[in-house]
Amino acid sequence: MRLIRRTSDRAQDEGNAPRRILVADDDPSIGTLIQVTLKDPRYEIVAVKNGLEALKAFEGGKFDVVILDVMMPYVDGFEACQRIRERSDVPIVILTARDGTDDVVHGFELGADDYIIKPFKTAELIARVESILRRVEGYKHRAAPPIVRVGELEIDEPRHRVSVRGQPVNLTPMEFELLYFLAANYGQVFDRETLFREVWGYDYVGETNLVDVCVRRLREKVEVEASRPRIIVTVRGVGYKLAEP
């Protein structure tokens, strides 16, 4: 099974219309770099200089991907991410020069789907954007069951709802996708590279703690004791699995 991401704001029947990407960064060279990197008839890049302009641009049009720098005047990337996520499920990528785990976790808590550390390689940016768009376009072909129940855990995929021991749990989109994949394949062990590829559609590039951060956050939300996990367990030297009930 391959779990693919939800749909974007834009209608799926737009055919070959260019994918619209909103980029917000107060460094004009970054916007220019992204425009040059993604210079292709398949993409339409809208570049703005701060979070306030990003919110105005988003309000005035539909986008397939939003890329937000963290450090921006007026409205920073975290606030812009939160405000966009309150009204839209569009994929959001955080662009930051700070690679501390706390910043990454904070971005995920606000609903970001991915992050890229500055300075970044153009090949990495292209791979991330194209992977997100593939997941969006392919979501309707997902073959996994809409509702998954494993022990005390229930995931209602169409309604994007999760409950543990009968209590609702609020998850970010990235946390939801990882938990849903593990639950749909409960008992199977997946290494980090496989999760990175199968859940979020990326080829494993370089060093990243994305999977570990996401697992840690999930455990804090679904386990009775996050330090002694019984639902999402570690198989030493291999990876992670959702325990069989």
Side-chain angles (χ1 to χ4, degrees):
M1 185 203 76
R2 180 175 178 76
L3 176 64
I4 306 180
R5 199 182 179 281
R6 61 200 177 281
T7 57
S8 70
D9 280 353
R10 302 226 300 168
Q12 294 297 305
D13 60 358
E14 291 186 4
N16 295 321
R19 303 294 91 184
R20 300 191 76 222
I21 300 173
L22 176 61
V23 179
D25 196 306
D26 61 338
D27 182 350
S29 66
I30 297 296
T32 300
L33 175 61
I34 293 176
Q35 286 178 316
V36 171
T37 299
L38 298 176
K39 188 176 182 180
D40 187 293
R42 296 175 299 168
Y43 306 124
E44 177 185 342
I45 310 299
V46 176
V48 297
K49 299 177 182 178
N50 57 63
L52 185 59
E53 290 185 6
L55 293 173
K56 290 180 179 178
F58 191 82
E59 185 69 25
K62 299 293 186 179
F63 292 91
D64 297 282
V65 180
V66 176
I67 301 176
L68 301 171
D69 181 43
V70 169
M71 302 298 291
M72 294 187 293
Y74 307 114
V75 175
D76 66 22
F78 288 142
E79 183 178 350
C81 173
Q82 182 179 27
R83 290 168 64 176
I84 289 174
R85 183 57 73 228
E86 287 173 353
R87 61 178 298 270
S88 172
D89 217 20
V90 65
I92 300 174
V93 179
I94 293 293
L95 190 62
T96 177
R98 306 184 301 184
D99 60 353
T101 298
D102 290 342
D103 286 337
V104 173
V105 169
H106 186 49
F108 290 159
E109 289 176 334
L110 296 176
D113 296 87
D114 199 359
Y115 70 99
I116 300 178
I117 303 299
K118 295 179 179 179
F120 56 86
K121 296 180 180 179
T122 56
E124 178 185 11
L125 175 66
I126 292 173
R128 297 289 181 95
V129 170
E130 289 186 344
S131 181
I132 285 175
L133 292 173
R134 284 198 303 270
R135 300 204 313 268
V136 168
E137 296 298 329
Y139 182 73
K140 59 185 177 181
H141 300 299
R142 178 180 45 77
I147 298 179
V148 178
R149 298 181 180 89
V150 182
E152 301 173 327
L153 177 69
E154 178 175 304
I155 305 175
D156 185 335
E157 194 279 333
R159 294 178 174 83
H160 207 271
R161 295 176 182 173
V162 175
S163 63
V164 182
R165 296 172 291 278
Q167 298 300 313
V169 178
N170 293 321
L171 302 181
T172 67
M174 180 164 280
E175 293 164 352
F176 183 90
E177 289 176 1
L178 178 58
L179 183 63
Y180 182 68
F181 178 84
L182 291 173
N185 298 278
Y186 74 87
Q188 298 183 51
V189 183
F190 297 95
D191 60 29
R192 292 167 179 79
E193 290 85 348
T194 300
L195 290 172
F196 205 62
R197 181 181 65 251
E198 294 298 319
V199 177
W200 301 302
Y202 300 138
D203 291 330
Y204 188 73
V205 180
E207 294 297 324
T208 177
N209 61 352
L210 177 61
V211 172
D212 298 318
V213 168
C214 203
V215 167
R216 179 166 68 85
R217 295 302 302 169
L218 274 174
R219 284 172 170 168
E220 292 174 353
K221 295 179 179 182
V222 305
E223 301 282 0
V224 175
E225 293 183 65
S227 60
R228 301 176 63 184
R230 296 174 54 247
I231 297 175
I232 305 172
V233 299
T234 302
V235 178
R236 188 176 298 276
V238 182
Y240 299 106
K241 71 174 183 177
L242 196 90
E244 297 180 67

